[in-house]
PDB file of all heavy atoms in Angstrom:
ATOM      1  N   GLU A   5       5.948  -4.363   2.402  1.00 95.00           N
ATOM      2  CA  GLU A   5       6.135  -5.149   1.194  1.00 95.00           C
ATOM      3  C   GLU A   5       5.183  -6.338   1.245  1.00 95.00           C
ATOM      4  O   GLU A   5       4.483  -6.544   2.232  1.00 95.00           O
ATOM      5  CB  GLU A   5       7.585  -5.643   1.092  1.00 95.00           C
ATOM      6  CG  GLU A   5       8.006  -6.545   2.247  1.00 95.00           C
ATOM      7  CD  GLU A   5       9.435  -7.037   2.126  1.00 95.00           C
ATOM      8  OE1 GLU A   5      10.082  -6.780   1.097  1.00 95.00           O
ATOM      9  OE2 GLU A   5       9.911  -7.694   3.079  1.00 95.00           O
ATOM     10  N   GLY A   6       5.149  -7.136   0.179  1.00 93.00           N
ATOM     11  CA  GLY A   6       4.317  -8.333   0.164  1.00 93.00           C
ATOM     12  C   GLY A   6       3.058  -8.152  -0.669  1.00 93.00           C
ATOM     13  O   GLY A   6       2.789  -7.085  -1.223  1.00 93.00           O
ATOM     14  N   SER A   7       2.257  -9.207  -0.733  1.00 92.00           N
ATOM     15  CA  SER A   7       1.110  -9.217  -1.635  1.00 92.00           C
ATOM     16  C   SER A   7       0.044  -8.195  -1.249  1.00 92.00           C
ATOM     17  O   SER A   7      -0.562  -7.567  -2.132  1.00 92.00           O
ATOM     18  CB  SER A   7       0.497 -10.624  -1.690  1.00 92.00           C
ATOM     19  OG  SER A   7       0.080 -11.032  -0.393  1.00 92.00           O
ATOM     20  N   ASP A   8      -0.238  -8.029   0.042  1.00 94.00           N
ATOM     21  CA  ASP A   8      -1.245  -7.034   0.435  1.00 94.00           C
ATOM     22  C   ASP A   8      -0.803  -5.628   0.055  1.00 94.00           C
ATOM     23  O   ASP A   8      -1.603  -4.816  -0.430  1.00 94.00           O
ATOM     24  CB  ASP A   8      -1.520  -7.112   1.940  1.00 94.00           C
ATOM     25  CG  ASP A   8      -2.185  -8.417   2.343  1.00 94.00           C
ATOM     26  OD1 ASP A   8      -2.979  -8.938   1.545  1.00 94.00           O
ATOM     27  OD2 ASP A   8      -1.893  -8.917   3.441  1.00 94.00           O
ATOM     28  N   TYR A   9       0.465  -5.332   0.286  1.00 96.00           N
ATOM     29  CA  TYR A   9       1.023  -4.032  -0.087  1.00 96.00           C
ATOM     30  C   TYR A   9       0.902  -3.818  -1.597  1.00 96.00           C
ATOM     31  O   TYR A   9       0.436  -2.763  -2.057  1.00 96.00           O
ATOM     32  CB  TYR A   9       2.478  -3.966   0.364  1.00 96.00           C
ATOM     33  CG  TYR A   9       3.243  -2.751  -0.099  1.00 96.00           C
ATOM     34  CD1 TYR A   9       3.215  -1.560   0.623  1.00 96.00           C
ATOM     35  CD2 TYR A   9       4.011  -2.793  -1.265  1.00 96.00           C
ATOM     36  CE1 TYR A   9       3.923  -0.445   0.196  1.00 96.00           C
ATOM     37  CE2 TYR A   9       4.716  -1.686  -1.698  1.00 96.00           C
ATOM     38  CZ  TYR A   9       4.681  -0.519  -0.969  1.00 96.00           C
ATOM     39  OH  TYR A   9       5.371   0.579  -1.394  1.00 96.00           O
ATOM     40  N   GLU A  10       1.293  -4.815  -2.370  1.00 96.00           N
ATOM     41  CA  GLU A  10       1.270  -4.680  -3.828  1.00 96.00           C
ATOM     42  C   GLU A  10      -0.159  -4.584  -4.367  1.00 96.00           C
ATOM     43  O   GLU A  10      -0.459  -3.745  -5.234  1.00 96.00           O
ATOM     44  CB  GLU A  10       2.002  -5.862  -4.469  1.00 96.00           C
ATOM     45  CG  GLU A  10       3.499  -5.862  -4.165  1.00 96.00           C
ATOM     46  CD  GLU A  10       4.184  -7.155  -4.562  1.00 96.00           C
ATOM     47  OE1 GLU A  10       3.483  -8.040  -5.120  1.00 96.00           O
ATOM     48  OE2 GLU A  10       5.393  -7.286  -4.328  1.00 96.00           O
ATOM     49  N   GLU A  11      -1.055  -5.445  -3.853  1.00 96.00           N
ATOM     50  CA  GLU A  11      -2.443  -5.415  -4.315  1.00 96.00           C
ATOM     51  C   GLU A  11      -3.157  -4.143  -3.866  1.00 96.00           C
ATOM     52  O   GLU A  11      -3.964  -3.572  -4.595  1.00 96.00           O
ATOM     53  CB  GLU A  11      -3.195  -6.653  -3.809  1.00 96.00           C
ATOM     54  CG  GLU A  11      -2.875  -7.925  -4.571  1.00 96.00           C
ATOM     55  CD  GLU A  11      -3.279  -7.819  -6.034  1.00 96.00           C
ATOM     56  OE1 GLU A  11      -4.487  -7.659  -6.305  1.00 96.00           O
ATOM     57  OE2 GLU A  11      -2.387  -7.872  -6.900  1.00 96.00           O
ATOM     58  N   GLY A  12      -2.861  -3.706  -2.637  1.00 97.00           N
ATOM     59  CA  GLY A  12      -3.469  -2.475  -2.141  1.00 97.00           C
ATOM     60  C   GLY A  12      -3.083  -1.275  -2.985  1.00 97.00           C
ATOM     61  O   GLY A  12      -3.923  -0.420  -3.311  1.00 97.00           O
ATOM     62  N   TRP A  13      -1.822  -1.214  -3.357  1.00 97.00           N
ATOM     63  CA  TRP A  13      -1.370  -0.106  -4.196  1.00 97.00           C
ATOM     64  C   TRP A  13      -1.949  -0.208  -5.611  1.00 97.00           C
ATOM     65  O   TRP A  13      -2.273   0.809  -6.233  1.00 97.00           O
ATOM     66  CB  TRP A  13       0.158  -0.053  -4.229  1.00 97.00           C
ATOM     67  CG  TRP A  13       0.700   0.876  -3.198  1.00 97.00           C
ATOM     68  CD1 TRP A  13       1.349   0.561  -2.043  1.00 97.00           C
ATOM     69  CD2 TRP A  13       0.618   2.306  -3.222  1.00 97.00           C
ATOM     70  NE1 TRP A  13       1.674   1.695  -1.339  1.00 97.00           N
ATOM     71  CE2 TRP A  13       1.245   2.773  -2.048  1.00 97.00           C
ATOM     72  CE3 TRP A  13       0.083   3.224  -4.116  1.00 97.00           C
ATOM     73  CZ2 TRP A  13       1.341   4.137  -1.748  1.00 97.00           C
ATOM     74  CZ3 TRP A  13       0.177   4.578  -3.820  1.00 97.00           C
ATOM     75  CH2 TRP A  13       0.806   5.028  -2.647  1.00 97.00           C
ATOM     76  N   ARG A  14      -2.081  -1.441  -6.120  1.00 97.00           N
ATOM     77  CA  ARG A  14      -2.691  -1.594  -7.445  1.00 97.00           C
ATOM     78  C   ARG A  14      -4.128  -1.080  -7.436  1.00 97.00           C
ATOM     79  O   ARG A  14      -4.548  -0.335  -8.337  1.00 97.00           O
ATOM     80  CB  ARG A  14      -2.661  -3.065  -7.867  1.00 97.00           C
ATOM     81  CG  ARG A  14      -3.239  -3.309  -9.268  1.00 97.00           C
ATOM     82  CD  ARG A  14      -3.304  -4.780  -9.596  1.00 97.00           C
ATOM     83  NE  ARG A  14      -4.217  -5.516  -8.724  1.00 97.00           N
ATOM     84  CZ  ARG A  14      -5.540  -5.523  -8.863  1.00 97.00           C
ATOM     85  NH1 ARG A  14      -6.121  -4.841  -9.847  1.00 97.00           N
ATOM     86  NH2 ARG A  14      -6.300  -6.211  -8.036  1.00 97.00           N
ATOM     87  N   LEU A  15      -4.893  -1.449  -6.421  1.00 97.00           N
ATOM     88  CA  LEU A  15      -6.271  -0.971  -6.303  1.00 97.00           C
ATOM     89  C   LEU A  15      -6.323   0.546  -6.182  1.00 97.00           C
ATOM     90  O   LEU A  15      -7.194   1.204  -6.757  1.00 97.00           O
ATOM     91  CB  LEU A  15      -6.948  -1.610  -5.092  1.00 97.00           C
ATOM     92  CG  LEU A  15      -7.304  -3.088  -5.191  1.00 97.00           C
ATOM     93  CD1 LEU A  15      -7.816  -3.595  -3.848  1.00 97.00           C
ATOM     94  CD2 LEU A  15      -8.350  -3.322  -6.271  1.00 97.00           C
ATOM     95  N   ALA A  16      -5.387   1.100  -5.416  1.00 97.00           N
ATOM     96  CA  ALA A  16      -5.370   2.553  -5.230  1.00 97.00           C
ATOM     97  C   ALA A  16      -5.117   3.273  -6.547  1.00 97.00           C
ATOM     98  O   ALA A  16      -5.781   4.270  -6.874  1.00 97.00           O
ATOM     99  CB  ALA A  16      -4.308   2.925  -4.207  1.00 97.00           C
ATOM    100  N   ARG A  17      -4.153   2.767  -7.312  1.00 96.00           N
ATOM    101  CA  ARG A  17      -3.834   3.414  -8.596  1.00 96.00           C
ATOM    102  C   ARG A  17      -4.986   3.279  -9.592  1.00 96.00           C
ATOM    103  O   ARG A  17      -5.372   4.253 -10.249  1.00 96.00           O
ATOM    104  CB  ARG A  17      -2.554   2.819  -9.169  1.00 96.00           C
ATOM    105  CG  ARG A  17      -1.282   3.235  -8.428  1.00 96.00           C
ATOM    106  CD  ARG A  17      -0.052   2.799  -9.186  1.00 96.00           C
ATOM    107  NE  ARG A  17       0.094   1.353  -9.189  1.00 96.00           N
ATOM    108  CZ  ARG A  17       0.797   0.664  -8.286  1.00 96.00           C
ATOM    109  NH1 ARG A  17       1.422   1.307  -7.321  1.00 96.00           N
ATOM    110  NH2 ARG A  17       0.891  -0.640  -8.364  1.00 96.00           N
ATOM    111  N   GLU A  18      -5.530   2.065  -9.701  1.00 96.00           N
ATOM    112  CA  GLU A  18      -6.577   1.818 -10.696  1.00 96.00           C
ATOM    113  C   GLU A  18      -7.870   2.543 -10.376  1.00 96.00           C
ATOM    114  O   GLU A  18      -8.626   2.908 -11.285  1.00 96.00           O
ATOM    115  CB  GLU A  18      -6.833   0.309 -10.808  1.00 96.00           C
ATOM    116  CG  GLU A  18      -5.681  -0.463 -11.440  1.00 96.00           C
ATOM    117  CD  GLU A  18      -5.955  -1.950 -11.508  1.00 96.00           C
ATOM    118  OE1 GLU A  18      -7.023  -2.386 -11.017  1.00 96.00           O
ATOM    119  OE2 GLU A  18      -5.102  -2.689 -12.051  1.00 96.00           O
ATOM    120  N   ASN A  19      -8.150   2.743  -9.089  1.00 96.00           N
ATOM    121  CA  ASN A  19      -9.414   3.358  -8.687  1.00 96.00           C
ATOM    122  C   ASN A  19      -9.248   4.806  -8.198  1.00 96.00           C
ATOM    123  O   ASN A  19     -10.182   5.385  -7.668  1.00 96.00           O
ATOM    124  CB  ASN A  19     -10.068   2.511  -7.597  1.00 96.00           C
ATOM    125  CG  ASN A  19     -10.488   1.146  -8.110  1.00 96.00           C
ATOM    126  OD1 ASN A  19     -11.551   1.004  -8.685  1.00 96.00           O
ATOM    127  ND2 ASN A  19      -9.646   0.144  -7.893  1.00 96.00           N
ATOM    128  N   LYS A  20      -8.042   5.330  -8.368  1.00 95.00           N
ATOM    129  CA  LYS A  20      -7.750   6.727  -8.009  1.00 95.00           C
ATOM    130  C   LYS A  20      -8.184   7.049  -6.578  1.00 95.00           C
ATOM    131  O   LYS A  20      -8.856   8.058  -6.317  1.00 95.00           O
ATOM    132  CB  LYS A  20      -8.403   7.680  -9.010  1.00 95.00           C
ATOM    133  CG  LYS A  20      -7.812   7.582 -10.419  1.00 95.00           C
ATOM    134  CD  LYS A  20      -8.470   8.566 -11.377  1.00 95.00           C
ATOM    135  CE  LYS A  20      -7.727   8.637 -12.701  1.00 95.00           C
ATOM    136  NZ  LYS A  20      -7.541   7.337 -13.356  1.00 95.00           N
ATOM    137  N   ILE A  21      -7.818   6.153  -5.659  1.00 96.00           N
ATOM    138  CA  ILE A  21      -8.077   6.393  -4.232  1.00 96.00           C
ATOM    139  C   ILE A  21      -7.175   7.530  -3.764  1.00 96.00           C
ATOM    140  O   ILE A  21      -5.996   7.599  -4.121  1.00 96.00           O
ATOM    141  CB  ILE A  21      -7.841   5.106  -3.429  1.00 96.00           C
ATOM    142  CG1 ILE A  21      -8.844   4.032  -3.877  1.00 96.00           C
ATOM    143  CG2 ILE A  21      -7.962   5.355  -1.932  1.00 96.00           C
ATOM    144  CD1 ILE A  21      -8.591   2.662  -3.280  1.00 96.00           C
ATOM    145  N   ASP A  22      -7.721   8.447  -2.975  1.00 96.00           N
ATOM    146  CA  ASP A  22      -7.011   9.673  -2.608  1.00 96.00           C
ATOM    147  C   ASP A  22      -5.692   9.382  -1.892  1.00 96.00           C
ATOM    148  O   ASP A  22      -4.644   9.911  -2.255  1.00 96.00           O
ATOM    149  CB  ASP A  22      -7.887  10.548  -1.691  1.00 96.00           C
ATOM    150  CG  ASP A  22      -9.201  10.931  -2.337  1.00 96.00           C
ATOM    151  OD1 ASP A  22      -9.200  11.260  -3.531  1.00 96.00           O
ATOM    152  OD2 ASP A  22     -10.243  10.883  -1.644  1.00 96.00           O
ATOM    153  N   VAL A  23      -5.783   8.570  -0.839  1.00 97.00           N
ATOM    154  CA  VAL A  23      -4.651   8.327   0.057  1.00 97.00           C
ATOM    155  C   VAL A  23      -4.692   6.869   0.493  1.00 97.00           C
ATOM    156  O   VAL A  23      -5.780   6.289   0.594  1.00 97.00           O
ATOM    157  CB  VAL A  23      -4.733   9.232   1.320  1.00 97.00           C
ATOM    158  CG1 VAL A  23      -3.485   9.095   2.184  1.00 97.00           C
ATOM    159  CG2 VAL A  23      -4.963  10.692   0.941  1.00 97.00           C
ATOM    160  N   VAL A  24      -3.529   6.268   0.766  1.00 98.00           N
ATOM    161  CA  VAL A  24      -3.507   4.946   1.394  1.00 98.00           C
ATOM    162  C   VAL A  24      -2.736   5.019   2.705  1.00 98.00           C
ATOM    163  O   VAL A  24      -1.846   5.852   2.887  1.00 98.00           O
ATOM    164  CB  VAL A  24      -2.890   3.858   0.490  1.00 98.00           C
ATOM    165  CG1 VAL A  24      -3.771   3.601  -0.715  1.00 98.00           C
ATOM    166  CG2 VAL A  24      -1.466   4.204   0.083  1.00 98.00           C
ATOM    167  N   ASP A  25      -3.097   4.129   3.602  1.00 97.00           N
ATOM    168  CA  ASP A  25      -2.551   4.078   4.961  1.00 97.00           C
ATOM    169  C   ASP A  25      -1.477   3.003   5.016  1.00 97.00           C
ATOM    170  O   ASP A  25      -1.768   1.810   4.982  1.00 97.00           O
ATOM    171  CB  ASP A  25      -3.705   3.765   5.922  1.00 97.00           C
ATOM    172  CG  ASP A  25      -3.259   3.674   7.373  1.00 97.00           C
ATOM    173  OD1 ASP A  25      -2.091   3.985   7.662  1.00 97.00           O
ATOM    174  OD2 ASP A  25      -4.099   3.284   8.208  1.00 97.00           O
ATOM    175  N   GLU A  26      -0.213   3.426   5.089  1.00 98.00           N
ATOM    176  CA  GLU A  26       0.896   2.469   5.181  1.00 98.00           C
ATOM    177  C   GLU A  26       1.241   2.200   6.637  1.00 98.00           C
ATOM    178  O   GLU A  26       1.260   3.119   7.462  1.00 98.00           O
ATOM    179  CB  GLU A  26       2.128   3.012   4.450  1.00 98.00           C
ATOM    180  CG  GLU A  26       1.995   3.027   2.950  1.00 98.00           C
ATOM    181  CD  GLU A  26       3.320   3.238   2.242  1.00 98.00           C
ATOM    182  OE1 GLU A  26       4.319   3.600   2.915  1.00 98.00           O
ATOM    183  OE2 GLU A  26       3.369   3.036   1.021  1.00 98.00           O
ATOM    184  N   HIS A  27       1.545   0.928   6.932  1.00 97.00           N
ATOM    185  CA  HIS A  27       1.967   0.509   8.265  1.00 97.00           C
ATOM    186  C   HIS A  27       3.273  -0.262   8.154  1.00 97.00           C
ATOM    187  O   HIS A  27       3.425  -1.090   7.257  1.00 97.00           O
ATOM    188  CB  HIS A  27       0.928  -0.425   8.909  1.00 97.00           C
ATOM    189  CG  HIS A  27      -0.361   0.236   9.248  1.00 97.00           C
ATOM    190  ND1 HIS A  27      -1.371  -0.406   9.941  1.00 97.00           N
ATOM    191  CD2 HIS A  27      -0.840   1.485   9.006  1.00 97.00           C
ATOM    192  CE1 HIS A  27      -2.397   0.411  10.099  1.00 97.00           C
ATOM    193  NE2 HIS A  27      -2.098   1.564   9.532  1.00 97.00           N
ATOM    194  N   TYR A  28       4.189  -0.015   9.054  1.00 96.00           N
ATOM    195  CA  TYR A  28       5.360  -0.893   9.169  1.00 96.00           C
ATOM    196  C   TYR A  28       6.093  -0.660  10.483  1.00 96.00           C
ATOM    197  O   TYR A  28       6.184   0.453  10.976  1.00 96.00           O
ATOM    198  CB  TYR A  28       6.315  -0.744   7.983  1.00 96.00           C
ATOM    199  CG  TYR A  28       6.645   0.658   7.522  1.00 96.00           C
ATOM    200  CD1 TYR A  28       7.553   1.464   8.210  1.00 96.00           C
ATOM    201  CD2 TYR A  28       6.082   1.160   6.348  1.00 96.00           C
ATOM    202  CE1 TYR A  28       7.882   2.727   7.752  1.00 96.00           C
ATOM    203  CE2 TYR A  28       6.399   2.427   5.878  1.00 96.00           C
ATOM    204  CZ  TYR A  28       7.306   3.214   6.585  1.00 96.00           C
ATOM    205  OH  TYR A  28       7.627   4.465   6.143  1.00 96.00           O
ATOM    206  N   TYR A  29       6.569  -1.763  11.042  1.00 96.00           N
ATOM    207  CA  TYR A  29       7.443  -1.760  12.220  1.00 96.00           C
ATOM    208  C   TYR A  29       8.715  -2.478  11.813  1.00 96.00           C
ATOM    209  O   TYR A  29       8.677  -3.664  11.475  1.00 96.00           O
ATOM    210  CB  TYR A  29       6.777  -2.479  13.398  1.00 96.00           C
ATOM    211  CG  TYR A  29       5.561  -1.760  13.928  1.00 96.00           C
ATOM    212  CD1 TYR A  29       4.299  -2.012  13.396  1.00 96.00           C
ATOM    213  CD2 TYR A  29       5.669  -0.831  14.954  1.00 96.00           C
ATOM    214  CE1 TYR A  29       3.181  -1.347  13.869  1.00 96.00           C
ATOM    215  CE2 TYR A  29       4.555  -0.160  15.442  1.00 96.00           C
ATOM    216  CZ  TYR A  29       3.313  -0.423  14.893  1.00 96.00           C
ATOM    217  OH  TYR A  29       2.210   0.235  15.362  1.00 96.00           O
ATOM    218  N   ASN A  30       9.824  -1.757  11.815  1.00 96.00           N
ATOM    219  CA  ASN A  30      11.062  -2.329  11.303  1.00 96.00           C
ATOM    220  C   ASN A  30      12.228  -2.074  12.236  1.00 96.00           C
ATOM    221  O   ASN A  30      12.155  -1.269  13.167  1.00 96.00           O
ATOM    222  CB  ASN A  30      11.354  -1.762   9.909  1.00 96.00           C
ATOM    223  CG  ASN A  30      10.371  -2.262   8.863  1.00 96.00           C
ATOM    224  OD1 ASN A  30      10.063  -3.441   8.809  1.00 96.00           O
ATOM    225  ND2 ASN A  30       9.854  -1.357   8.051  1.00 96.00           N
ATOM    226  N   SER A  31      13.326  -2.757  11.965  1.00 96.00           N
ATOM    227  CA  SER A  31      14.519  -2.679  12.793  1.00 96.00           C
ATOM    228  C   SER A  31      15.249  -1.358  12.575  1.00 96.00           C
ATOM    229  O   SER A  31      14.998  -0.632  11.604  1.00 96.00           O
ATOM    230  CB  SER A  31      15.459  -3.835  12.446  1.00 96.00           C
ATOM    231  OG  SER A  31      15.945  -3.679  11.115  1.00 96.00           O
ATOM    232  N   VAL A  32      16.189  -1.080  13.478  1.00 95.00           N
ATOM    233  CA  VAL A  32      17.050   0.095  13.313  1.00 95.00           C
ATOM    234  C   VAL A  32      17.748   0.047  11.961  1.00 95.00           C
ATOM    235  O   VAL A  32      17.812   1.045  11.234  1.00 95.00           O
ATOM    236  CB  VAL A  32      18.081   0.143  14.465  1.00 95.00           C
ATOM    237  CG1 VAL A  32      19.200   1.132  14.150  1.00 95.00           C
ATOM    238  CG2 VAL A  32      17.391   0.520  15.779  1.00 95.00           C
TER     239      VAL A  32
END
């Protein structure tokens, strides 16, 4: 989540990027 996640997805949608690389380390 957060601004990088939101902006990255906006760029992906607008520019029809094939795939995006998601990262997260979260609690149980």
Side-chain angles (χ1 to χ4, degrees):
E5 61 179 354
S7 59
D8 294 326
Y9 173 86
E10 293 169 2
E11 283 298 298
W13 266 108
R14 182 185 64 79
L15 288 173
R17 288 190 292 268
E18 291 179 357
N19 294 276
K20 294 181 170 54
I21 297 173
D22 301 318
V23 186
V24 293
D25 180 7
E26 289 194 348
H27 292 186
Y28 45 77
Y29 293 89
N30 291 315
S31 66
V32 166

